Amino acid sequence: MATEIRQQDGITIVEPSGKIVGPAVSELREVILPEIEAAEAPRILINFENVNMIDSSGLGALMEARALASRKDGRIGVTNVGKHIRNLIVLSRIVNQFEHFDSVTDAVSGLSN
């Protein structure tokens, strides 16, 4: 799994690609957690456009990131969530834990407020 990170209007955009399973889950943690720790009130957007699979460990990493961000009055949003990942998030009953956006532009605007 490769992950790109960029900043846009004070929002950290994390763009993983491939499958978030096995060792890739640790890679995702290593990317997201320092971004959360470095910010006073982190605003993180995870763009799933290039992710085709995530497992329960990957969902656990997302929940860990959400918990850390919320302790710092931060927010985490997701965008471009494919059908497979959306179904897993719904079945895991964590769908309401993340702010969902239709596009990166909408997310940057929404998380900036």
Side-chain angles (χ1 to χ4, degrees):
M1 179 193 82
T3 303
E4 290 186 34
I5 297 178
R6 61 187 172 96
Q7 300 287 326
Q8 185 175 333
D9 298 334
I11 307 299
T12 300
I13 301 173
V14 177
E15 297 179 319
S17 61
K19 298 178 180 180
I20 304 175
V21 297
V25 173
S26 295
E27 291 174 36
L28 182 65
R29 272 192 185 98
E30 291 170 7
V31 169
I32 293 178
L33 299 184
E35 294 294 327
I36 294 170
E37 291 169 3
E40 258 183 60
R43 302 283 191 258
I44 309 285
L45 171 64
I46 303 169
N47 183 356
F48 283 98
E49 183 174 17
N50 297 311
V51 175
N52 52 21
M53 182 182 286
I54 189 169
D55 65 9
S56 59
S57 297
L59 293 180
L62 295 177
M63 290 303 297
E64 179 182 356
R66 185 203 167 278
L68 288 172
S70 66
R71 283 187 212 128
K72 297 179 84 174
D73 293 323
R75 296 166 61 191
I76 294 187
V78 296
T79 189
N80 296 315
V81 179
K83 184 178 179 181
H84 170 75
I85 296 170
R86 183 181 312 273
N87 288 342
L88 184 59
I89 290 171
V90 169
L91 288 172
S92 301
R93 298 184 183 190
I94 62 171
V95 69
N96 295 327
Q97 301 297 311
F98 299 95
E99 297 179 58
H100 297 264
F101 298 95
D102 293 328
S103 69
V104 171
T105 304
D106 290 346
V108 168
S109 175
L111 290 172
S112 295
N113 295 333

